[in-house]
Amino acid sequence: MVCLMRSVQSSMFNANSQSEAGVFRRLWRLCCQIALVQSGLRSYLEPVIRLMRPNYRAGLQSATLLSVSRQPGYLQMQLKAGRSFSGFVPGQHLDLTVELDGVLITRTFSISSSLQQFLQNRTLQLTIKVQPHSGLTQQLLARAGESLPCYVSQARGDFELEQSQSALMLAAGSGITPVHSMLSSLSRLTRPITLIYSYRGAGNLLFADSWPQLRARFPLLTIVLRDTSTEGRLTDAEFIAALGALKVKEGQSVSAGPQGATKEPMLYLCGPLAFSQYWQQQAKVLGISQIRQESFGLSQQSHGEAVPVSVTQHGRTLQFHSQGNLLQSLEQAGLAPRYGCRRGICMQCLCTKTAGQVRNELTGHVSDAGAGLVQLCISTALTKLELQLDAVSTATQDNNPCTT
């Protein structure tokens, strides 16, 4: 009997030890996962801070949405930046995050207003092309006049104007927005600049009131407004002619004053990806080595191509294409995945990946193609992906580290 009791006690002790060890391993793994994806102390403390400041988001600067107006095809947003926003260099861009029905939607836009406007009243203007299938622009249109929580990142980018040399600027569509910020921020101009702005149809001409004013202020500024619906696209011959005329004007401005020796003109390109790539190639053929460009549209370097995703939840399987943040893509597809902080902190959106690769948006880490755990709110699909949104597999938790 004594031997039997000792045997039972020994078995219970071993079972309890194994259970405690299992709990400890899970807690330790969770702590490691959190530590690996947080960018700072504020991210850890965000859930607590939001109890006192509901609109607080770690790493984001709060902003006040003052107004949203529309012209055909575009929205003009006026924002007042919070005290933590440190300013910008004309030509830079930022991330705008808007909270709509509890969902954070983030997009990147160039600042289109002048630096002087920001210095006077801390306001910024963003000029946004309306996308028929974009949830952000459609919601902003529907809720114009409402008070919406929004946030901005610090400005970034090196698409800046070098004022010590002449410049030929080619802009197309909404690619004119950073160029407008550059030119409207000028206080003086000592080198000639030629801007050729291509747009399709009179209704898509942005900043129509600004161009006559800028021409009047700066005699060395040449602005060519080209409506491609009636004039066609800029040709190679017209590009070469504009470059030649700029060089002549540069020589005249140098001979008329003490500005220094003539420098090769800088070429600035901003517009759709195909537009920028074409003119960059043409410039290299002509021997132009000084090029600054900012492009938008689908590319592997920016938003990536849409990736097929298969999701299983409650016994049902849904297939769709994801482009960008996985949590946002799932919600746009009509699913309701579990989430909490939406910033990679609380682990509420953790789910099982059975196949495919994802990138962690905070760390840049790329997962392997096998099974693992994924935080939806900070992950982007890179390859064909299979997700299980039901309860996270215990076996996966025990045997595989978090992949994002």
Side-chain angles (χ1 to χ4, degrees):
M1 178 66 72
V2 173
C3 293
L4 179 60
M5 291 179 63
R6 286 179 177 175
S7 176
V8 171
Q9 288 175 348
S10 177
S11 299
M12 291 176 62
F13 175 79
N14 290 335
N16 289 336
S17 298
Q18 292 175 359
S19 177
E20 290 173 0
V23 171
F24 177 78
R25 282 198 302 271
R26 290 187 180 90
L27 290 175
W28 175 251
R29 185 174 292 111
L30 182 60
C31 290
C32 291
Q33 290 167 357
I34 295 175
L36 288 173
V37 300
Q38 300 315 313
S39 56
L41 180 61
R42 291 183 179 181
S43 294
Y44 286 106
L45 299 178
E46 180 179 310
V48 178
I49 297 174
R50 292 196 70 198
L51 295 176
M52 299 172 285
R53 297 170 55 191
N55 289 336
Y56 175 82
R57 297 287 182 178
L60 298 177
Q61 289 70 46
S62 62
T64 303
L65 180 59
L66 300 177
S67 65
V68 179
S69 58
R70 183 178 184 177
Q71 75 171 76
Y74 293 91
L75 296 181
Q76 300 280 7
M77 293 183 61
Q78 293 288 340
L79 302 169
K80 185 166 186 177
R83 291 178 296 176
S84 58
F85 182 73
S86 59
F88 68 98
V89 176
Q92 288 187 318
H93 54 269
L94 52 73
D95 294 335
L96 171 68
T97 300
V98 179
E99 187 170 346
L100 298 170
D101 298 327
V103 177
L104 291 180
I105 300 178
T106 301
R107 297 290 185 271
T108 302
F109 301 109
S110 294
I111 300 168
S112 60
S113 52
S114 69
L115 180 60
Q116 290 85 340
Q117 175 181 320
F118 173 76
L119 295 176
Q120 289 173 2
N121 51 31
R122 297 193 63 81
T123 60
L124 305 167
Q125 178 176 282
L126 303 180
T127 303
I128 304 172
K129 184 174 179 61
V130 175
Q131 302 289 350
H133 305 293
S134 168
L136 177 60
T137 54
Q138 295 301 317
Q139 288 282 354
L140 288 174
L141 278 173
R143 300 188 178 193
E146 293 184 24
S147 177
L148 295 175
C150 59
Y151 311 87
V152 293
S153 67
Q154 296 294 352
R156 62 187 187 276
D158 55 6
F159 189 67
E160 305 168 7
L161 180 63
E162 176 54 64
Q163 297 191 48
S164 64
Q165 64 191 108
S166 60
L168 175 60
M169 296 178 155
L170 304 184
S174 57
I176 193 62
T177 52
V179 175
H180 180 262
S181 178
M182 291 178 183
L183 298 180
S184 61
S185 298
L186 290 172
S187 56
R188 60 194 296 264
L189 187 60
T190 59
R191 299 288 191 186
I193 295 177
T194 296
L195 165 65
I196 303 177
Y197 166 31
S198 299
Y199 58 95
R200 180 171 294 278
N204 288 316
L205 173 62
L206 293 172
F207 317 114
D209 296 336
S210 292
W211 307 125
Q213 297 173 11
L214 288 171
R215 285 190 182 111
R217 285 176 58 194
F218 304 113
L220 289 176
L221 176 61
T222 301
I223 299 176
V224 179
L225 304 178
R226 188 181 186 92
D227 185 348
T228 58
S229 66
T230 58
E231 303 174 64
R233 296 181 178 180
L234 183 69
T235 65
D236 294 351
E238 290 170 328
F239 172 76
I240 294 172
L243 185 62
L246 178 65
K247 290 180 178 179
V248 171
K249 203 169 184 178
E250 163 73 356
Q252 294 173 345
S253 68
V254 170
S255 62
Q259 293 93 340
T262 302
K263 296 182 180 180
E264 177 188 339
M266 177 80 76
L267 177 63
Y268 294 82
L269 302 172
C270 193
L273 184 62
F275 170 89
S276 296
Q277 288 179 336
Y278 177 81
W279 288 114
Q280 185 178 32
Q281 293 171 356
Q282 296 305 108
K284 289 181 178 178
V285 171
L286 295 173
I288 300 174
S289 58
Q290 299 189 68
I291 303 174
R292 293 184 181 179
Q293 76 172 73
E294 188 97 322
S295 57
F296 54 87
L298 297 181
S299 69
Q300 291 182 346
Q301 289 75 24
S302 55
H303 302 293
E305 297 180 355
V307 175
V309 177
S310 177
V311 180
T312 300
Q313 185 179 37
H314 307 315
R316 297 177 55 197
T317 299
L318 174 68
Q319 296 182 340
F320 65 99
H321 282 75
S322 172
Q323 184 176 330
N325 182 270
L326 269 175
L327 180 57
Q328 293 183 18
S329 296
L330 288 167
E331 291 172 332
Q332 291 170 3
L335 294 169
R338 184 179 60 221
Y339 68 88
C341 65
R342 307 183 73 92
R343 300 290 298 162
I345 298 170
C346 69
M347 296 287 181
Q348 290 298 305
C349 64
L350 202 65
C351 73
T352 300
K353 171 178 70 72
T354 56
Q357 289 183 290
V358 298
R359 175 185 288 117
N360 184 306
E361 296 171 357
L362 295 183
T363 66
H365 172 73
V366 176
S367 74
D368 59 31
L373 302 181
V374 172
Q375 283 181 273
L376 296 173
C377 68
I378 57 169
S379 298
T380 300
L382 298 180
T383 65
K384 184 177 180 180
L385 196 62
E386 295 179 7
L387 297 175
Q388 171 60 255
L389 294 190
D390 294 325
V392 176
S393 167
T394 302
T396 305
Q397 277 187 306
D398 288 341
N399 299 320
N400 292 280
C402 183
T403 59
T404 62

